[in-house]
Amino acid sequence: MMTKRICGLLGALLVVTAPAMASASVTTAQAAKGADLDTQVALQGYLIKALGGEHYLFRDQSGELKVEIDNALWRHIDVKGDTPLTLTGKVGNTRFGPEVEIDHMQLADNH
């Protein structure tokens, strides 16, 4: 009886943890465009254009992607078009297409 309970418990744990493993982080703009909603994203690249409000155009080696950066995340970071950044967040969707909602922003290590 004890063995069945342990197996049953392990089976339940596997079912619970399997979805978490399926939502792996993506690291390029191109991959983020095709990722499912709420997929975790870690990007390294550049903000090349302000689109209005908290929306920006991000570029890396794979392409361009719209991102949303809350004003509170700027923390006195001076960014120009050639300032390399590391951005993390999750994939969201707007009426204009996919967008990454940024929850952390910092200067890239090489800057």
Side-chain angles (χ1 to χ4, degrees), residues 74-85 105 107 111:
W74 286 96
R75 297 180 323 265
H76 308 292
I77 296 175
D78 185 26
V79 175
K80 297 177 183 158
D82 62 348
T83 305
L85 297 170
M105 176 174 95
L107 294 174
H111 192 264

Side-chain angles (χ1 to χ4, degrees), residues 2 5 7 13 25 37 40 60 64 81 87-88 94 98 103 108:
M2 186 63 127
R5 286 186 191 153
C7 290
L13 289 174
S25 180
L37 288 179
Q40 293 298 309
D60 66 10
E64 298 176 352
L87 306 175
T88 58
T94 69
D103 55 32

Side-chain angles (χ1 to χ4, degrees), residues 24-29 31-32 39-45 58 60-61 65 85-91 100-104:
S25 180
V26 297
T27 59
T28 67
T39 297
Q40 293 298 309
V41 176
L43 303 169
Q44 288 197 349
F58 169 86
D60 66 10
Q61 73 283 1
L65 174 72
L85 297 170
T86 299
L87 306 175
T88 58
K90 65 181 180 177
V91 175
V100 174
E101 299 166 4
I102 303 302
D103 55 32
H104 184 74

Side-chain angles (χ1 to χ4, degrees), residues 41-62:
V41 176
L43 303 169
Q44 288 197 349
Y46 307 90
L47 295 177
I48 59 169
K49 184 176 182 182
L51 300 174
E54 298 178 334
H55 302 273
Y56 301 87
L57 190 59
F58 169 86
R59 177 183 293 154
D60 66 10
Q61 73 283 1
S62 72

